[in-house]
Amino acid sequence: MPQNGRLYAIVSFAALLSIGGALIVRSQTPVSRSRALIRERIDESKLVTLAGNTRPEANAENDAGEVSDTLAVDHMMLQLKRSPAQEQAAALFVDDLHNPNSPNFHKWITAEEFGKQFGLVDSDIAAVTGWLASQGFTVNSVYPNRMLIDFSGDAGHVRSAFHTSIHNLTVDGVHHIANFGDPQIPEALAPAVAGIVSLHDFRPNRMVRTAAQYSYIYNRQTFEEVTPADLATIYDFNPLFSSGITGTGQSIVVIEDSDYYSRADWTAFRNTFGLAQYAGTLVQHPPTPTGTNNCKLPGVNGDDIEVAVDIEWATAAAPGATIVEAACADTTSPTAGLFLAMQNLVNSSNPPAIMSVSYGVCEPFNGASLNAAIGALYQQAATEGTSIFVAAGDEGAAGCDAGGYVATHGIAVSGWASTPYNVAVGGTDFGDVANGNTSQYWNPPAKNSSTYGSALSYIPEIPWNNSCASAVAANYMGYPSGYGPNGFCNTVAGQSFWTVAAGSGGPSGCAIGAPAALTPGVVSGNCQGYAKPSWQTGLSGIPNDGVRDLPDVSMFSAVGSIWNHSSIICFSDLASNGSPCVGAPSSWTPIGGTSVAAPVMAGIQALVNQKLGGPQGNPNPVLYALAASTPSAFHPVNQGDITVNCAAPHNCYGYIGNVDYGRNGRVFGTTWAGALSASNTSFAPAFATGPSWNSASGIGSVDANNLVNAWPKH
């Protein structure tokens, strides 16, 4: 799988046990050398609490008793941390690598070099691993970045060493395990230890949304299924494809926790939609070296539909590229396979140039340690030249209410998408139905192309929002607003759209710190967001809030519902509501969500990398600079919002009374719902579009041809 001379593999831990190697110092950025952080004797009677690392579901209501001491807890991850000075040096180093005026511009380094420059020194590593061993754990490996330790034990070891017990939970009828209380460690280790990445089995949410099989006319409008040919027309890929810029020689790694259901689906998708003329290939599970390995094949599970979306829409955007499915199974407990796959790739000798991630969890639910681990992982990837595209989320600004009928946790964003080192990709819909001009932009079905394209041109966009709280939807249905006694949500028709389903955006609020004990899962307490990146500037509309704001860009993500648009995939797993990929694709599986947008943006990056001849690292500095200098590379989105219906005291306007929304947010006996708002005392939609950057769509969507050709050549 070629990528400018690179090969990719999910690395075994036999390869990770060595943490030595010579450092090639390339940066001219002043960097203070790492110094020992652990300077005192470890005293088990002096403990510190690693706050913010208990899931809100770990409560008395859900408690089903402590697990057995013998329960295996395999491949836990201990995230280490640097001194504040070294943390600042690492951030400056990343900036240096992305500064075209620096002599170190794009002089990417390896994981080993990163570890030597920014990881912990030998004495700290020895102190931490020695303490783990003294507590009965098996230390499996230290990653080359010298910032992560893989270790295994059992629940009894966890209770003894970290002073927290693991319990069985029953949450809405589903069994889980999770630590009951924040872990504690000896005070002497605190300067070097950020925390245990996870002590529970709540996994990241996939960002794909499915739709019913639509074969009817809704509001006298034909349902439009977006195909790769439509993508190419709407977002201006065709001039690139005609000139040979198709992603040839590039690889896009999609991060998964399931196998692809069938390679036959890949073949059918590419053949049906005219992509087989290009040289793109699919690689599943790159070979791993022999030896102890924490990455086991996951097999096909309920997330296989996400795999289909990521693989097929990445190849739609870059049909000449190699699509690499990198998937690890979740460990027995508690580490997510997605996290293992990314860590192993970024710490390999040949890290990927492009990764696409379509999973996420809100920052408060992620917890402080996992947020720290994701931020450190993406930062390291940026020093290696890797471009990471992450689905911003499918919950509007209510990131902690995934899959619910109503928002109850206030404003939050995904901790998998909110770091300064990745592109957060939001979601749009097309505005033709809302604006009554569908025939201007779509051919009738009888005039579809041979590859089922029907779009005639770019179609003005609105944010993807399936909620009754959407102002566009409410106005279209004849209501002054979505919320309140006279709002769309308080109608029989509006009840069909009680859902937390919209492209995500908003401020980072709890990447650091912990929510207050009385409001678990809500941005509160000593929560803090990531600081505003230096590159998130230059555009009107960017909030002067001092924190990282999402999304960066957006692409089509809609799925049926109000405006009758969805994307299409070949997904033949009938047991997971797939469809046989035979006949016209109108009978195939319609889907949406920002998990469509992320691999499409990853595909566009493959076109950039092909044209420029190499990896580009974090694309955001260029994206924001181009938005200021070359606006033709983007489509502004200035109609609509991502506001969803809500019923709680947190960031909710128009909600009155105590309404029982039941488990999972299912609505019982409601009179009317509120709308998610930045204010509880007046309606400040969370969030609306604007003439420039906005929290509903970021910069806007992309004109692929203009963006690729405007990308600076240094």
Side-chain angles (χ1 to χ4, degrees):
M1 47 196 143
Q3 173 74 52
N4 301 311
R6 297 181 176 189
L7 293 176
Y8 303 103
I10 298 178
V11 183
S12 83
F13 275 92
L16 294 178
L17 286 170
S18 171
I19 60 172
L23 171 66
I24 302 173
V25 180
R26 294 180 173 140
S27 176
Q28 301 300 313
T29 302
V31 175
S32 58
R33 292 293 174 183
S34 297
R35 297 180 179 178
L37 301 176
I38 301 173
R39 301 174 185 175
E40 297 181 4
R41 182 180 64 84
I42 297 173
D43 184 344
E44 295 290 342
S45 68
K46 296 180 179 179
L47 303 175
V48 296
T49 299
L50 302 174
N53 291 296
T54 302
R55 287 281 301 201
E57 300 91 344
N59 56 44
E61 178 185 358
N62 297 324
D63 189 10
E66 193 170 347
V67 303
S68 168
D69 276 359
T70 60
L71 176 72
V73 188
D74 296 329
H75 297 295
M76 290 175 282
M77 297 287 163
L78 193 70
Q79 181 66 41
L80 307 177
K81 67 179 180 182
R82 312 179 185 96
S83 68
Q86 280 297 104
E87 198 63 53
Q88 183 181 24
L92 291 173
F93 181 71
V94 174
D95 290 345
D96 198 34
L97 292 173
H98 293 82
N99 179 2
N101 297 318
S102 166
N104 303 295
F105 180 62
H106 283 192
K107 293 181 179 178
W108 316 118
I109 63 173
T110 67
E112 288 77 9
E113 292 168 356
F114 184 90
K116 282 289 187 181
Q117 189 75 18
F118 301 110
L120 268 61
V121 298
D122 289 344
S123 63
D124 288 339
I125 296 288
V128 176
T129 56
W131 177 76
L132 288 170
S134 74
Q135 299 299 308
F137 294 110
T138 298
V139 176
N140 300 313
S141 64
V142 177
Y143 275 79
N145 62 11
R146 306 172 72 99
M147 292 293 293
L148 194 70
I149 298 172
D150 178 315
F151 66 107
S152 298
D154 58 34
H157 294 133
V158 169
R159 188 184 64 253
S160 176
F162 295 110
H163 306 277
T164 185
S165 57
I166 298 177
H167 284 226
N168 294 296
L169 305 179
T170 302
V171 182
D172 298 326
V174 178
H175 176 262
H176 287 279
I177 63 169
N179 55 299
F180 232 64
D182 289 332
Q184 294 180 314
I185 59 172
E187 185 178 56
L189 298 177
V193 174
I196 311 160
V197 171
S198 174
L199 282 174
H200 60 77
D201 67 354
F202 291 89
R203 304 309 185 197
N205 307 308
R206 69 187 188 213
M207 295 301 175
V208 64
R209 294 275 179 156
T210 57
Q213 291 289 354
Y214 286 90
S215 58
Y216 59 85
I217 304 298
Y218 177 75
N219 277 355
R220 298 182 298 280
Q221 299 292 332
T222 302
F223 185 83
E224 298 289 353
E225 292 176 325
V226 176
T227 67
D230 295 324
L231 178 83
T233 296
I234 294 166
Y235 292 117
D236 201 19
F237 284 81
N238 287 321
L240 294 167
F241 294 167
S242 297
S243 66
I245 303 298
T246 64
T248 302
Q250 312 304 306
S251 290
I252 302 167
V253 177
V254 294
I255 302 297
E256 308 293 348
D257 63 2
S258 171
D259 281 333
Y260 193 29
Y261 180 70
S262 172
R263 290 187 68 96
D265 289 355
W266 159 271
T267 301
F269 185 86
R270 284 177 56 89
N271 286 343
T272 300
F273 294 122
L275 305 175
Q277 62 181 300
Y278 305 105
T281 57
L282 172 64
V283 174
Q284 293 177 267
H285 301 303
T288 58
T290 59
T292 303
N293 188 5
N294 68 358
C295 182
K296 298 180 180 179
L297 302 186
V300 172
N301 58 49
D303 284 343
D304 59 343
I305 189 170
E306 182 63 72
V307 185
V309 173
D310 297 346
I311 285 174
E312 293 172 14
W313 280 93
T315 198
T322 294
I323 310 302
V324 182
E325 178 205 355
C328 295
D330 298 333
T331 63
T332 307
S333 60
T335 305
L338 297 165
F339 183 80
L340 293 174
M342 287 193 290
Q343 284 287 359
N344 292 355
L345 284 165
V346 170
N347 281 281
S348 71
S349 57
N350 295 289
I354 304 169
M355 289 199 300
S356 177
V357 183
S358 291
Y359 299 79
V361 177
C362 70
E363 290 175 336
F365 278 30
N366 249 358
S369 295
L370 181 53
N371 284 330
I374 293 171
L377 168 66
Y378 291 1
Q379 181 190 62
Q380 178 186 342
T383 71
E384 298 170 3
T386 303
S387 302
I388 303 177
F389 297 87
V390 187
D394 295 353
E395 302 81 34
C400 292
D401 292 296
Y405 290 80
V406 63
T408 60
H409 290 86
I411 294 171
V413 297
S414 170
W416 293 71
S418 62
T419 88
Y421 303 107
N422 65 275
V423 178
V425 188
T428 65
D429 201 338
F430 300 125
D432 57 298
V433 176
N435 295 318
N437 53 10
T438 297
S439 62
Q440 180 178 338
Y441 297 107
W442 301 94
N443 267 325
K447 293 186 178 181
N448 283 350
S449 71
S450 61
T451 54
Y452 300 96
S454 59
L456 299 174
S457 67
Y458 172 72
I459 306 168
E461 292 162 278
I462 58 178
W464 165 50
N465 190 346
N466 283 5
S467 170
C468 59
S470 160
V472 175
N475 296 162
Y476 184 77
M477 297 297 184
Y479 296 92
S481 67
Y483 61 87
N486 299 314
F488 180 42
C489 293
N490 188 38
T491 66
V492 173
Q495 291 177 18
S496 299
F497 304 100
W498 284 341
T499 182
V500 182
S504 289
S508 173
C510 202
I512 304 165
L518 295 178
T519 53
V522 175
V523 174
S524 57
N526 64 356
C527 282
Q528 299 179 52
Y530 286 109
K532 181 80 75 181
S534 60
W535 43 259
Q536 194 165 45
T537 185
L539 302 174
S540 63
I542 295 176
N544 186 24
D545 54 6
V547 297
R548 166 86 160 106
D549 288 285
L550 277 61
D552 298 305
V553 294
S554 295
M555 298 294 277
F556 177 72
S557 301
V559 55
S561 194
I562 299 174
W563 308 118
N564 310 340
H565 306 121
S566 288
S567 298
I568 196 79
I569 58 171
C570 176
F571 178 61
S572 61
D573 185 357
L574 302 184
S576 294
N577 298 316
S579 307
C581 301
V582 295
S586 58
S587 66
W588 294 11
T589 305
I591 49 82
T594 53
S595 61
V596 180
V600 166
M601 281 303 303
I604 293 173
Q605 191 65 44
L607 308 182
V608 170
N609 288 11
Q610 179 190 352
K611 185 173 178 64
L612 271 67
Q616 301 298 303
N618 183 3
N620 274 324
V622 173
L623 291 174
Y624 280 80
L626 286 177
S629 67
T630 314
S632 63
F634 302 91
H635 303 292
V637 181
N638 51 29
Q639 177 189 9
D641 57 54
I642 56 171
T643 304
V644 296
N645 50 293
C646 60
H650 314 293
N651 302 116
C652 189
Y653 181 75
Y655 161 65
I656 300 176
N658 296 315
V659 179
D660 178 11
Y661 277 80
R663 294 188 179 278
N664 286 330
R666 185 179 295 276
V667 182
F668 298 104
T670 184
T671 53
W672 64 80
L676 199 70
S677 170
S679 169
N680 287 327
T681 58
S682 62
F683 185 51
F687 287 96
T689 57
S692 185
W693 190 98
N694 56 77
S695 294
S697 67
I699 297 169
S701 66
V702 169
D703 181 300
N705 181 57
N706 290 350
L707 180 72
V708 171
N709 286 310
W711 203 276
K713 306 173 183 65
H714 296 287

